[in-house]
Amino acid sequence: MAEYTHITHPFRPLYDEESQILILGSLPSVKSREEGFYYGHPRNRFWAMLADIWNERIPLDVEEKKQFILTHHLALYDAIESCDIIGSSDSSIRNVKPADLREIVEGAKIKKILANGKTAGKYFSRYQEGSYQEIFRVMPSTSPANAAVSLEQLIKCWRVELLDEND
């Protein structure tokens, strides 16, 4: 039987003073922790989706991914700072310490927070106690576990939020 592991978020948030949209996951997967950066699982559609939305090639290494995020005025972090988890199983998460998002929101020009999936949305809503709720939206997960939603559907849905000129 798989064992619980206590995980403390292994990366700093990625943002700069020009970041306008914060994308939150739940917690980096085992594959992401091995790669040393967000959305590192080879079947996660996050990077392919973003590349299609901006009509660019998919960034391949960590430095290209960081540059891509900052070029498009995005920010990356997660809703959970630490927790106990079995592997990468969102359903096993327990003993959550929520992430403190003030550094990002106050250090950038964040006008929108998008949760990458229901788990990130659940933990954001549970622990942020109304903070930032007016600029928060839950998006379909780019995880390979969300196979019911195609890459094309992800692109269509996320494009509306990422390229919305009315915000």
Side-chain angles (χ1 to χ4, degrees), residues 5 13 21 26 32 68 89 94 109 111 114 139-140 147:
T5 303
I21 299 174
S26 53
S32 295
F68 187 100
S89 171
R94 65 183 189 190
K109 299 175 182 174
K111 61 181 182 177
L114 303 178
M139 304 300 292

Side-chain angles (χ1 to χ4, degrees), residues 13-21 66-76 103-110:
L14 177 64
Y15 71 99
D16 66 17
E17 61 278 354
E18 298 301 317
S19 297
Q20 297 177 19
I21 299 174
K66 287 179 180 180
Q67 190 58 48
F68 187 100
I69 292 301
L70 297 177
T71 296
H72 295 290
H73 307 295
L74 302 175
L76 292 179
E103 171 191 330
I104 304 166
V105 174
E106 293 171 8
K109 299 175 182 174
I110 301 299

Side-chain angles (χ1 to χ4, degrees), residues 28-92:
S29 69
V30 171
K31 290 289 187 189
S32 295
R33 294 191 305 266
E34 288 171 1
E35 182 178 299
F37 198 63
Y38 301 92
Y39 306 103
H41 193 290
R43 291 194 348 254
N44 192 303
R45 295 152 311 160
F46 183 78
W47 297 107
M49 176 193 72
L50 290 181
D52 188 277
I53 288 170
W54 274 284
N55 196 29
E56 295 185 20
R57 71 174 183 80
I58 298 171
L60 300 177
D61 62 30
V62 172
E63 285 310 310
E64 286 183 5
K65 291 173 180 179
K66 287 179 180 180
Q67 190 58 48
F68 187 100
I69 292 301
L70 297 177
T71 296
H72 295 290
H73 307 295
L74 302 175
L76 292 179
Y77 200 47
D78 290 299
I80 298 172
E81 177 61 36
S82 67
C83 69
D84 297 327
I85 188 169
I86 298 173
S88 298
S89 171
D90 284 347
S91 64
S92 73

